[in-house]
Amino acid sequence: MAAKRKRGALPAGKAKRARSAPGAGEAAPEGGPRERSIPPQENSGPPQEYSIPPPVSQGKWKNKERVLIFSSRGINFRTRHLMQDLRTLMPHSKADTKMDRKDQLFVINEVCEMKNCNKCIFFEAKKKQDLYMWISNTPQGPSAKFLVQNVHTLAELKMTGNCLRGSRPLLSFDPIFDREPHYAVLKELFIQIFGTPQYHPKSQPFVDHVFTFTVTDERIWFRNYQIIEEDASLVEIGPRFVLNLIKIFQGSFGGPTLYENPHYQSPNMHRRLLRLSVAAKFREKQQVKEVQKIKKKGTKVLVEEDPTEVVFETPAEEKPVEIQLVKPESKPIVKDKKKLRKIQRKKQKKLFRTEG
């Protein structure tokens, strides 16, 4: 009885031959990959082997930047979608559970250390309507705090572009980022956080979209555009949002203040000014009404009394006072007019009979 042979083992006396390139007369097997045929050379020995170079993405991953993107409890659906969009656009990002409101911000440094991340984007929600964003270089710093406004996500119909998932972006900055020192610090933070490291395992070796950071009206406007190959035009993909800088700190999520924005106005102050403006308009309307009333009273001209008007006044005749000693007969309350007429006719007939 023949012994069973193990799977993948070769019988004795047979060795596995190395695959060589097929000659000019040999054809590639059906269903297999097509290989380029090498023409035979004169006076050549055995066929030479060749290798296909590896893809570009298999290079050495040196810049090991990892970004932790998470939020606090109490965020709304729009913030949650924005956070998810940033995670999909940044293949070097990591996620974590929501942080409790009672925890202090310096706890985030420990969370980043446990997640093996050296950068962090933290969304902080307050009063269920105000959204703040922290970007930080953990654990040494610096860090910056922004107020996020005008958020639009990838899922909205306004964004018509599309890009490859995991592709590397180009970063475009406004020229003012090179002039002002506080903007230079933010530029370096943005480069390290939003720039996908080269040869990252989850990234693709393509550059097909652009992140733009533009400074207008003392705010940073973030946009994401797709690069179209045909005519090199740009189509917006999303997400889009506006960052209003509040402070830049020396440490991570705290420490000495390096810069404070003098043009920043808190959302509470903005809402208070709106309420005061509405109240001022109401007071102005009330004052206008009072002034109009005073004007109407003041415009009336009082004419002096004319002494000749007394001549045309005729005194009314004085009627003698009659005292009625007999109680008047009570009139019957009749709702029907026909019955009332019958009663009146009966009374008239009685009067005629007494007179006759």
Side-chain angles (χ1 to χ4, degrees):
M1 186 174 180
K4 290 186 178 180
R5 189 176 60 187
K6 292 184 180 180
R7 182 178 294 177
L10 295 174
K14 292 186 178 180
K16 192 175 182 179
R17 290 184 299 177
R19 179 180 293 179
S20 60
E26 298 177 4
E30 294 183 2
R34 293 186 179 179
E35 297 182 356
R36 187 177 56 184
S37 61
I38 301 175
Q41 298 178 359
E42 293 181 359
N43 300 327
S44 61
Q48 298 178 357
E49 295 183 359
Y50 66 96
S51 60
I52 301 173
V56 184
S57 60
Q58 290 186 359
K60 192 173 182 181
W61 177 30
K62 296 180 180 179
N63 180 19
K64 299 196 176 182
E65 296 282 354
R66 300 180 183 90
V67 184
L68 180 65
I69 302 176
F70 71 118
S71 68
S72 65
R73 297 194 180 276
I75 61 172
N76 55 8
F77 72 98
R78 192 177 292 273
T79 307
R80 187 172 64 252
H81 292 173
L82 172 64
M83 187 171 57
Q84 192 63 34
D85 293 345
L86 291 178
R87 287 174 183 168
T88 55
L89 290 173
M90 300 164 64
H92 60 293
S93 64
K94 290 187 177 182
D96 195 21
T97 56
K98 295 179 181 178
M99 198 179 77
D100 197 358
R101 294 181 183 178
K102 297 178 182 178
D103 296 339
Q104 300 294 329
L105 289 176
F106 61 83
V107 180
I108 301 175
N109 296 326
E110 300 177 3
V111 178
C112 292
E113 187 177 357
M114 288 188 293
K115 287 285 185 178
N116 196 18
C117 296
N118 51 4
K119 299 291 184 295
C120 181
I121 298 178
F122 177 67
F123 291 95
E124 185 181 8
K126 290 185 178 179
K127 294 187 176 181
K128 296 184 179 180
Q129 55 183 345
D130 301 331
L131 178 63
Y132 298 91
M133 187 175 82
W134 287 82
I135 60 171
S136 175
N137 179 24
T138 58
Q140 294 87 11
S143 60
K145 185 180 180 181
F146 301 92
L147 174 67
V148 185
Q149 299 171 328
N150 302 334
V151 177
H152 297 275
T153 58
L154 276 169
E156 295 186 10
L157 296 176
K158 296 178 184 177
M159 314 302 179
T160 57
N162 190 12
C163 68
L164 183 68
R165 185 185 179 95
S167 60
R168 300 180 63 215
L170 294 174
L171 301 182
S172 174
F173 291 93
D174 197 273
I176 198 172
F177 279 94
D178 297 325
R179 293 191 228 121
E180 302 292 337
H182 59 281
Y183 282 131
V185 175
L186 294 178
K187 179 181 178 181
E188 188 63 29
L189 274 175
F190 289 147
I191 289 173
Q192 295 180 14
I193 290 176
F194 289 96
T196 303
Q198 192 177 12
Y199 303 126
H200 191 277
K202 292 183 180 180
S203 67
Q204 300 290 338
F206 303 101
V207 178
D208 59 353
H209 62 287
V210 185
F211 289 163
T212 62
F213 298 88
T214 311
V215 179
T216 306
D217 195 19
E218 304 297 334
R219 291 171 175 82
I220 300 173
W221 300 66
F222 176 85
R223 296 289 184 271
N224 182 20
Y225 296 98
Q226 178 195 0
I227 303 172
I228 300 177
E229 296 180 1
E230 287 78 9
D231 52 353
S233 61
L234 299 178
V235 177
E236 188 170 0
I237 304 172
R240 59 158 70 172
F241 51 88
V242 180
L243 299 176
N244 192 358
L245 177 63
I246 302 174
K247 284 184 181 180
I248 300 176
F249 300 95
Q250 185 176 352
S252 178
F253 296 97
T257 303
L258 298 179
Y259 176 79
E260 185 175 0
N261 187 7
H263 306 283
Y264 171 71
Q265 187 182 66
S266 65
N268 293 332
M269 182 61 67
H270 181 67
R271 287 190 286 267
R272 180 174 178 272
L273 292 177
L274 288 177
R275 289 195 299 269
L276 289 176
S277 65
V278 173
K281 287 181 180 178
F282 180 74
R283 273 192 239 105
E284 186 178 355
K285 287 182 179 179
Q286 295 296 328
Q287 290 176 0
V288 169
K289 287 182 180 178
E290 291 177 0
V291 170
Q292 288 176 352
K293 286 181 182 179
I294 294 171
K295 284 184 177 179
K296 285 180 180 178
K297 291 180 180 178
T299 52
K300 290 182 180 179
V301 179
L302 298 176
V303 182
E304 296 180 357
E305 293 183 358
D306 190 3
T308 58
E309 287 184 358
V310 185
V311 177
F312 300 100
E313 291 181 0
T314 54
E317 296 180 356
E318 294 182 0
K319 294 182 179 180
V321 180
E322 293 182 359
I323 299 173
Q324 193 172 4
L325 300 175
V326 182
K327 183 180 177 181
E329 296 179 359
S330 60
K331 295 181 180 180
I333 300 172
V334 181
K335 293 183 179 180
D336 195 356
K337 293 182 179 180
K338 291 182 178 179
K339 291 182 179 180
L340 181 61
R341 288 173 186 170
K342 288 180 180 178
I343 294 168
Q344 288 178 354
R345 286 173 186 170
K346 287 180 181 180
K347 287 183 179 180
Q348 288 177 0
K349 286 180 180 178
K350 286 182 182 179
L351 288 173
F352 285 126
R353 287 174 186 172
T354 52
E355 290 176 359

